[in-house]
Amino acid sequence: MIVAIDGPAGAGKSTVARAVALALGFTYLDTGAMYRCVAVARLRDADVDINALEIGLAATVSLNGEDVSEEIRSATVTEMASEVAAEPEVRAAMVLRQQSMLASGDWVVEGRDIGTVIAPHAELKIFLTADADERARRRAMQSGRPLEQVLAEQHRRDRRDGERELSPLVAAEDAVELDTTALSAGEVIGEIVALATERDGGRQ
Ligand code: DC
């Protein structure tokens, strides 16, 4: 079974997707981390061959064997990830990798295009949203950076991710939209686990 969780930055995808995977006993896949790894590689070498990159997504995120878990969360990499994610060759390479991973097994996958492009056949599609101010507030709290700055960067990335030609951030027609602005993480997790259990014929 595949549970696809899409939505903009700061809507709570990572926290929620990880916890839902744990509760259901499914494997968690963070596709954003893959774009972030590509960004690290590109920042180090502008001509890097995307197809030759070894990206490891276990307890730590690794690039060609090196632990980049912290580096991928920096502001520079975050900005570059949004840029590389708009490139057709990068998306094509990531789509192939992600689809081959998802070909078997039970997954909770988070990203922007999971329900629309990567796994349109997913049994459950969730589109998580939250007010832009609330999303920025959460990010600023997490990172300790000034709210104004986080809000400005978020606005720029929201526009780029939402307006790009290729796989822009949109909810799949059959996605369940959850506005997390006024909900606790626990409430969102509980709701998704209940929906997944229901869709899966009560195997939990
Ligand atoms: O979810 P995140 O912030 O880690 O994602 C990093 C960047 O990658 C973000 O700008 C959106 C992009 N992305 C994407 O285009 N498609 C995905 N499936 C996942 C992330």
Side-chain angles (χ1 to χ4, degrees):
M1 178 183 190
I2 294 179
V3 178
I5 303 184
D6 291 302
K13 290 191 305 294
S14 294
T15 309
V16 164
R18 263 178 225 282
V20 169
L22 195 67
L24 295 171
F26 290 10
T27 310
Y28 164 66
L29 176 61
D30 175 3
T31 61
M34 298 175 74
Y35 288 96
R36 287 171 181 270
C37 282
V38 173
V40 170
R42 179 65 67 72
L43 283 164
R44 290 177 183 178
D45 173 5
D47 299 319
V48 72
D49 176 4
I50 305 300
N51 289 301
L53 297 178
E54 272 177 43
I55 297 174
L57 299 168
T60 57
V61 176
S62 67
L63 175 64
N64 298 330
E66 177 191 341
D67 185 346
V68 290
S69 311
E70 276 187 32
E71 190 175 351
I72 60 166
R73 303 293 161 197
S74 74
T76 315
V77 172
T78 299
E79 179 66 22
M80 181 56 111
S82 168
E83 280 181 33
V84 297
E87 293 178 22
E89 313 77 56
V90 172
R91 293 211 79 81
M94 295 303 114
V95 169
L96 275 184
R97 287 183 191 215
Q98 290 160 18
Q99 287 183 333
S100 80
M101 277 189 260
L102 299 177
S104 63
D106 294 315
W107 296 86
V108 177
V109 195
E110 69 156 285
R112 304 292 190 289
D113 60 345
I114 311 306
T116 50
V117 175
I118 305 298
H121 56 288
E123 286 85 348
L124 177 61
K125 300 177 187 177
I126 304 289
F127 196 80
L128 281 192
T129 59
D131 283 355
D133 287 347
E134 173 62 14
R135 291 191 283 118
R137 197 189 62 76
R138 291 176 188 170
R139 274 280 148 108
M141 278 229 311
Q142 255 174 13
S143 62
R145 296 171 55 236
L147 180 62
E148 300 277 283
Q149 200 182 336
V150 172
L151 193 59
E153 288 171 6
Q154 174 182 283
H155 183 64
R156 199 167 56 233
R157 271 189 300 130
D158 276 357
R159 278 192 57 174
R160 197 186 290 136
D161 294 342
E163 291 175 6
R164 68 179 175 224
E165 232 166 89
L166 212 60
S167 311
L169 174 67
V170 284
E173 265 180 30
D174 52 349
V176 177
E177 292 206 27
L178 282 179
D179 185 335
T180 70
T181 309
L183 298 176
S184 69
E187 287 170 318
V188 180
I189 294 158
E191 172 89 29
I192 299 175
V193 168
L195 283 168
T197 306
E198 195 183 291
R199 299 263 166 116
D200 205 23
R203 70 185 221 171
Q204 292 299 312

